[in-house]
Amino acid sequence: MKKAYVDRNLIAGSIIIAFIIFLAVFQPWLNKLIIGGHNPMTASFFGRYEPPSLKHLLGTDYVCRDVLALLLLGLKSSLLVGVVAGTLSTLMGIIVGFIAGYKGGIVDSILIGTTDTFLVIPSFPILLTLSAYVKKLDVFSMGVILMIFSWPFSARVIRSRVMSFKNAGYIELAKLNNMSDLEIIFLEILPNIVPFLGVGFGQSVVASMLAATGLEVIGLGLSGVITLGTMINNAIGTGALSMGQWNIVFPPIIVLMMVFIGVQLINMGLESTFNPRLRR
Amino acid sequence: MTILLEAKDITKIFPLDKGRKLKAVDKVSFSFSKENAKILSLVGESGSGKTTIARMILGLLPPTEGNVYFLGEDIYLMNEREKKEYRRHVQAVFQDPYGIYNPFYRVDRALELPIKKFKLGSSKSEARDMIERALEAVGLRPRDVMGKYPHQLSGGERQRIMLARLYLLKPQLIVADEPISMIDAALRALFLNILLDFKNNYGISCLFITHDLSSAYYLGGEVIVLYKGKAVEKGEVAEVLRNPRHPYTNLLIKALLPTDPSKKILTSLGAEIGLKDDNSMAGEGCPFAGRCPKASDICNKEVPLPVKINENHEVRCFH
Amino acid sequence: MEIVRIEDLKIYYKLIDGVAKAVDGVSIKVYPNEILGIAGESGSGKTTMVNGLVRLVKPPAYIAGGSITVNYGENGIPKEVNLLRISENEMRNLRWSFISYIPQASMNSLNPLLRVKDQMMDVIRERSNKSKEEALTLLPELLKRVNLSPQVLDMYPHELSGGMKQRTIIAMALALSPKIVIADEPTTALDVVSQLSVLSTLYDVCRKSKTSLVLITHDMAVHAQLTDRVAIMYAGKIVEVGRTADVFKSPIHPYTKGLIASIPTIENGGKRLEGISGIAPSPKNWPTGCRFHPRCPKATDKCRGAEPSMVEYEEGHFVACFHPEVKK
């Protein structure tokens, strides 16, 4: 049994991400706490731009909505988009990467050609076009659109990892121990790849969230749903920035940063755990 | 006499880019008997095809032509049961004592796996006893190495654990691919002695692959001298060294540095050896023709056939 | 009058779980026009020591004590300087022109994108005042010294064999006629025949230009063939030093004896090799007293308690041992 070893970064990152997930999962209940369970997106005229107070911890925005409640809802949506895109992207990357890496030969050539084609296409203009064109943009379709351009990255990384492990000395030794191909893939190669899978997934989620936010900040986002990106867009559009309403502008940015940093810390921690040489 | 393992005219051709091909190994043959354990050394420089031969013998690389037989069966056509038997009795130790360990696991696993896979022990405590005894047999203290990760041990310790693994398995044939080139002088002597003990006390044969003629000489037995994938001379090692017939073998012997400071060969030999640098691939004809001081026209056109010098000694050369 | 005098040099590595005393009090001299061998197995500290000699000690390694005095005067007028005290600029002036270094696996450090002549030019022009034309005319001569044809100048490193690359590196190291060259395992990755050509090249070139050579290798046969004097290192210290012929004919330290006895040679006639029992100790935890005692067949309590100091047994032949086997 492996001796328990947990890296500091892993702990820090996990705490941050656990907190974020907690916020997203318990959003309905937290919503109850903050504004009594109403839809945070209901606009009204009373109480515009109120500064932070006990009633509204982060104040209100240009249509009197409680910013904190909005933030939690927005976080949930952004996270959902990121997770959907990240999962689809990683799955695609694993399938393509593993097959290309282990099989090699013609199979690999075909797959890598496809992957490279996607890598070369300029993604942002196409994302812009797609999201402007698709009328009803819901979470799932947004996820799919984002996935189209992020799967090649994880596919390439996984493929090169599999290829490098395929030729390792211990793989030959495993064959001499009469291990079957399946045993080799699961017992010898996979444990060394899991950290990369985890890392890849985290990166995909974050990258998708950031790409989505990029689109939302310029107005091309999900319709009818508030996300961290649309909050920033609103803040800029309604002049909150120039009015010095930090309570409206900064929270979504900070939350995004927290997700980013949390994921990076977890990645670093995972790498330390699985690569004993890096352990402090 | 039963033939344990036979390599018959094995050849390996690798395709390169632009339609060219590399003939890494060209019709090499040798065999080991089940009753009489022996050590056979394959001596050659890098690029001579020795590692490729090792991999073909170990079932890791099918030959392009020729066959490898274990107890009469072609190892690349075996069924599961036969293959298991084959793996049980033909094992290896490699050159690089680091890459051979999966960094994810502790080194114990390298010794536990063979016990599990080949059913060498019936209980966990029995397995642990066997492992401890094997470690002690190669000069390691079990508490110094068990439970550690590969990066926590030195190259010498890691290579010794590989020897302990062989001690556990006691296969009938060990393929050793440059096993001592990456470890220290003192451990090399120990390693060679262990291989000799394996032969003398347990009847384990060894295919010893090296670039160093003096280790081959120390181990005794037979030797095959390889150049660019072809066997240019073969025979009983003492005989070949005493009476080398191929110019390449001659070159290898002369290049050995004696450890006696009063016998200085460097100054006199530099020019004599006529060291022409030769990077070309083997073409038609004798592979050594490009560097051979005795080369003539026929050497470039035809491959020499083996000529028997005597009972234990064969050479392929026109001169 | 020696050209290099190392006194009580200590180079340690600061690690997370302690200090590794890689070089722990080494004193040795290098004389003009001699070939000095440093022998010892991996972990003995040889590479660390020469890194110190050319001042390439980088963190986590640090100089923990001692001095390296270098005499770069000419015509009998000594001009000494402690390499550990001078500035990096001054040191850079000395490198390549006074003291040259061929590190391990240096044949792999040739820039694969540059032709040989461009790389050699870089070295020459950076360290001397020669113009491009002057430097260019020097190159064929330099290559000739190492037995390479001028055609090599226009080739790329990947077109050369291992031995040819190594000889190119030697040519570069000797380009500015340094007084002392340090070569760390110059032939390890090479096959027997290339090894021979590289070593004889090294020998010829150093002798002809009267350059001193410090040769580090664990291969005792190389020392036997090439060196005038040899120093045996174990566990960060020198345990025996003397004229090569003396050390090989009558090795006094049990470790030296063990080293020489572990080499399989054709002359031995197949006698059983002895080897050295036990495992090399770790620099984080050297054994007390004489560091070889856990593996020494002659160890006694005295050896566990105190460290022996160097004693001269015959002219120039020093050994640090409490139970030396001196043949008469």
Side-chain angles (χ1 to χ4, degrees):
Chain A
M1 206 47 240
K2 274 177 78 147
K3 198 167 42 166
Y5 166 80
V6 197
D7 180 88
R8 277 198 319 230
N9 291 333
L10 190 54
I11 297 179
S14 307
I15 292 178
I16 296 178
I17 297 298
F19 179 60
I20 299 272
I21 295 180
F22 168 82
L23 289 179
V25 167
F26 286 97
Q27 184 266 339
W29 290 273
L30 290 168
N31 195 26
K32 271 223 172 98
L33 273 177
I34 302 172
I35 52 175
H38 301 280
N39 184 346
M41 289 185 65
T42 331
S44 97
F45 295 109
F46 298 111
R48 291 175 99 199
Y49 290 124
E50 274 181 36
S53 62
L54 272 178
K55 183 157 163 236
H56 301 286
L57 284 170
L58 283 174
T60 63
D61 71 348
Y62 68 108
V63 280
C64 321
R65 303 186 286 200
D66 181 298
V67 174
L68 183 57
L70 224 48
L71 186 68
L72 291 180
L73 190 60
L75 171 61
K76 189 158 105 164
S77 307
S78 287
L79 212 51
L80 210 54
V81 168
V83 168
V84 167
T87 310
L88 291 174
S89 165
T90 304
L91 272 174
M92 186 74 168
I94 291 178
I95 296 173
V96 173
F98 244 98
I99 297 177
Y102 199 69
K103 283 286 169 194
I106 295 215
V107 174
D108 176 42
S109 305
I110 298 176
L111 286 174
I112 203 65
T114 321
T115 314
D116 283 347
T117 312
F118 272 92
L119 274 177
V120 170
I121 297 178
S123 48
F124 207 62
I126 300 195
L127 278 176
L128 276 178
T129 322
L130 276 175
S131 50
Y133 184 66
V134 175
K135 290 298 175 222
K136 241 187 93 193
L137 203 57
D138 66 336
V139 171
F140 190 70
S141 33
M142 184 72 149
V144 170
I145 292 174
L146 290 169
M147 175 272 262
I148 294 177
F149 292 103
S150 59
W151 73 262
F153 293 98
S154 49
R156 265 207 158 255
V157 168
I158 292 174
R159 169 182 173 270
S160 67
R161 283 290 142 189
V162 171
M163 284 173 88
S164 72
F165 289 123
K166 193 173 70 154
N167 294 323
Y170 54 85
I171 301 289
E172 296 209 318
L173 193 65
K175 293 187 185 164
L176 290 182
N177 277 331
N178 211 26
M179 285 173 90
S180 66
D181 271 349
L182 234 72
E183 282 179 304
I184 293 181
I185 291 184
F186 281 105
L187 293 178
E188 302 284 338
I189 301 186
L190 203 57
N192 287 309
I193 290 214
V194 164
F196 295 101
L197 294 179
V199 166
F201 177 68
Q203 302 285 44
S204 288
V205 168
V206 169
S208 305
M209 282 177 76
L210 291 175
T213 306
L215 289 174
E216 287 150 6
V217 166
I218 55 178
L220 292 168
L222 300 173
S223 37
V225 183
I226 192 97
T227 64
L228 296 175
T230 41
M231 282 182 78
I232 300 176
N233 182 19
N234 289 344
I236 299 175
T238 60
L241 198 56
S242 47
M243 282 201 283
Q245 307 272 14
W246 309 128
N247 55 309
I248 301 181
V249 176
F250 282 131
I253 297 177
I254 293 178
V255 168
L256 265 176
M257 275 174 58
M258 279 174 70
V259 175
F260 182 75
I261 292 176
V263 167
Q264 301 299 42
L265 285 175
I266 291 184
N267 289 344
M268 286 164 62
L270 273 181
E271 217 178 300
S272 272
T273 312
F274 283 91
N275 188 347
R277 289 184 101 172
L278 291 176
R279 291 188 191 178
R280 302 160 141 273
Chain B
M1 192 187 65
T2 340
I3 302 227
L4 177 72
L5 184 102
E6 182 183 0
K8 199 158 174 193
D9 284 335
I10 49 179
T11 302
K12 187 67 190 172
I13 302 179
F14 290 110
L16 298 173
D17 55 341
K18 302 190 189 108
R20 293 182 302 164
K21 293 199 218 290
L22 173 65
K23 210 174 215 182
V25 179
D26 195 356
K27 293 214 181 52
V28 173
S29 303
F30 52 85
S31 66
F32 290 87
S33 94
K34 196 169 149 110
E35 291 83 16
N36 306 326
K38 80 170 180 211
I39 299 187
L40 168 62
S41 299
L42 281 181
V43 176
E45 303 169 356
S46 56
S48 57
K50 17 190 239 288
T51 299
T52 314
I53 293 179
R55 301 180 75 217
M56 288 195 275
I57 300 291
L58 288 170
L60 298 171
L61 187 68
T64 320
E65 290 164 23
N67 306 83
V68 180
Y69 299 103
F70 176 70
L71 293 175
E73 298 288 330
D74 186 324
I75 64 175
Y76 289 97
L77 298 174
M78 284 178 167
N79 62 34
E80 280 307 309
R81 192 184 40 86
E82 290 167 330
K83 192 138 198 229
K84 190 164 186 189
E85 195 53 26
Y86 165 70
R87 287 260 178 262
R88 172 72 185 80
H89 285 292
V90 177
Q91 281 290 335
V93 59
F94 297 104
Q95 180 181 27
D96 177 6
Y98 188 64
I100 204 76
Y101 290 89
N102 189 331
F104 187 73
Y105 298 106
R106 290 173 214 262
V107 296
D108 308 38
R109 184 172 180 269
L111 297 168
E112 288 161 357
L113 267 182
I115 298 183
K116 204 171 79 161
K117 278 284 177 182
F118 295 108
K119 305 222 179 3
L120 299 174
S122 46
S123 72
K124 258 204 147 167
S125 57
E126 192 185 338
R128 203 191 153 86
D129 277 339
M130 292 177 73
I131 291 179
E132 284 181 9
R133 263 183 292 136
L135 288 172
E136 281 159 6
V138 296
L140 288 172
R141 272 198 301 233
R143 60 187 162 90
D144 283 345
V145 298
M146 287 178 82
K148 294 235 166 78
Y149 285 96
H151 70 274
Q152 293 173 299
L153 301 175
S154 71
E157 289 170 309
R158 286 184 239 128
Q159 197 69 319
R160 280 203 230 215
I161 294 178
M162 280 295 129
L163 268 182
R165 177 180 175 275
L166 291 175
Y167 182 86
L168 275 175
L169 280 166
K170 297 207 183 54
Q172 295 198 312
L173 174 64
I174 296 176
V175 176
D177 188 359
E178 299 256 30
I180 55 177
S181 58
M182 287 173 89
I183 55 179
D184 287 333
L187 185 54
R188 287 183 195 181
L190 180 79
F191 202 102
L192 293 175
N193 287 340
I194 290 182
L195 286 179
L196 280 175
D197 287 341
F198 275 170
K199 180 189 85 157
N200 296 329
N201 301 343
Y202 301 105
I204 300 177
S205 295
C206 179
L207 179 66
F208 187 77
I209 296 170
T210 181
H211 62 269
D212 175 27
L213 260 180
S214 34
S215 324
Y217 176 72
Y218 182 70
L219 289 174
E222 292 173 22
V223 67
I224 294 182
V225 179
L226 282 172
Y227 188 75
K228 291 223 173 102
K230 294 194 177 64
V232 298
E233 189 157 2
K234 63 160 99 169
E236 200 239 317
V237 71
E239 156 75 18
V240 170
L241 288 179
R242 204 173 23 233
N243 189 13
R245 295 310 207 98
H246 196 281
Y248 180 60
T249 315
N250 231 327
L251 188 60
L252 283 182
I253 295 175
K254 282 202 178 146
L256 287 175
L257 300 173
T259 46
D260 185 351
S262 56
K263 294 202 198 123
K264 289 236 199 278
I265 62 165
L266 278 186
T267 35
S268 50
L269 266 185
E272 188 200 314
I273 288 203
L275 302 161
K276 279 151 77 178
D277 299 298
D278 180 21
N279 274 341
S280 61
M281 288 190 293
E284 296 303 311
C286 175
F288 194 57
R291 281 166 85 173
C292 187
K294 297 192 185 166
S296 62
D297 265 342
I298 190 176
C299 301
N300 281 320
K301 299 211 193 85
E302 284 176 34
V303 178
L305 290 169
V307 168
K308 246 181 147 64
I309 308 284
N310 61 36
E311 175 68 39
N312 300 327
H313 195 167
E314 213 175 80
V315 75
R316 288 172 177 251
C317 182
F318 289 120
H319 306 274
Chain C
M1 188 60 213
E2 67 272 4
I3 44 174
V4 177
R5 187 171 68 243
I6 300 179
E7 287 169 292
D8 203 31
L9 182 64
K10 295 192 171 82
I11 307 179
Y12 296 169
Y13 284 80
K14 195 165 167 56
L15 301 173
I16 293 175
D17 50 346
V19 174
K21 302 188 179 169
V23 177
D24 204 9
V26 162
S27 302
I28 191 155
K29 298 194 183 123
V30 184
Y31 295 98
N33 202 10
E34 78 161 342
I35 301 185
L36 171 69
I38 313 277
E41 301 177 320
S42 50
S44 56
K46 351 185 260 298
T47 301
T48 310
M49 185 181 81
V50 292
N51 279 343
L53 188 49
V54 285
R55 258 197 44 177
L56 285 176
V57 173
K58 290 197 177 80
Y62 63 96
I63 310 267
S67 69
I68 303 177
T69 314
V70 141
N71 176 11
Y72 62 99
E74 322 238 330
N75 305 325
I77 306 169
K79 269 201 274 184
E80 294 197 343
V81 76
N82 183 348
L83 285 186
L84 299 175
R85 296 281 153 107
I86 59 181
S87 71
E88 178 58 29
N89 254 335
E90 292 170 304
M91 186 66 212
R92 226 181 292 146
N93 285 337
L94 286 176
R95 289 203 195 103
W96 293 104
S97 53
F98 177 75
I99 180 167
S100 218
Y101 179 40
I102 304 175
Q104 271 194 31
S106 48
M107 52 194 195
N108 295 328
S109 59
L110 283 173
N111 188 334
L113 300 174
L114 289 179
R115 288 182 216 262
V116 167
K117 71 167 181 246
D118 297 317
Q119 302 193 48
M120 292 182 76
M121 291 275 283
D122 278 345
V123 169
I124 298 181
R125 298 199 59 214
E126 224 188 306
R127 298 276 168 262
S128 67
N129 301 328
K130 305 218 194 304
S131 71
K132 206 166 170 185
E133 294 73 30
E134 286 178 328
L136 214 58
T137 47
L138 278 178
L139 297 186
E141 177 59 40
L142 289 173
L143 283 186
K144 187 151 167 254
R145 275 204 247 165
V146 296
N147 239 327
L148 286 172
S149 91
Q151 288 176 327
V152 170
L153 284 172
D154 289 312
M155 294 167 96
Y156 285 95
H158 67 264
E159 296 176 294
L160 305 173
S161 74
M164 292 167 88
K165 279 191 273 198
Q166 196 66 324
R167 279 183 279 156
T168 311
I169 300 273
I170 296 175
M172 282 163 68
L174 284 145
L176 298 172
S177 307
K179 283 271 177 305
I180 166 170
V181 175
I182 304 177
D184 191 351
E185 302 280 8
T187 56
T188 326
L190 301 174
D191 58 78
V192 202
V193 180
S194 301
Q195 174 177 304
L196 188 61
S197 85
V198 168
L199 289 177
S200 46
T201 305
L202 206 48
Y203 184 82
D204 272 342
V205 155
C206 289
R207 282 273 108 106
K208 283 211 186 90
S209 52
K210 297 215 193 330
T211 309
S212 291
L213 172 67
V214 177
L215 179 66
I216 294 101
T217 175
H218 64 272
D219 190 341
M220 293 305 282
V222 171
H223 288 293
Q225 287 297 305
L226 212 60
T227 60
D228 303 319
R229 284 193 310 139
V230 66
I232 318 280
M233 272 188 84
Y234 184 79
K237 284 176 123 34
I238 295 186
V239 297
E240 185 160 356
V241 61
R243 274 198 291 264
T244 308
D246 293 338
V247 173
F248 272 79
K249 200 153 53 129
S250 28
I252 302 180
H253 197 286
Y255 178 63
T256 315
K257 290 185 149 221
L259 265 189
I260 295 178
S262 18
I263 315 168
T265 65
I266 309 223
E267 296 100 30
N268 278 353
K271 233 186 336 160
R272 180 102 173 162
L273 290 177
E274 284 308 320
I276 305 174
S277 64
I279 309 179
S282 150
K284 286 188 273 199
N285 227 338
W286 294 132
T288 56
C290 170
R291 298 181 181 180
F292 190 58
H293 83 252
R295 303 168 76 179
C296 185
K298 296 180 167 303
T300 60
D301 278 335
K302 185 174 188 195
C303 307
R304 284 180 264 275
E307 274 197 54
S309 42
M310 289 287 239
V311 173
E312 191 169 10
Y313 284 93
E314 52 180 336
E315 198 206 317
H317 192 171
F318 295 77
V319 178
C321 179
F322 289 129
H323 306 281
E325 303 175 12
V326 189
K327 281 198 267 202
K328 266 305 152 209

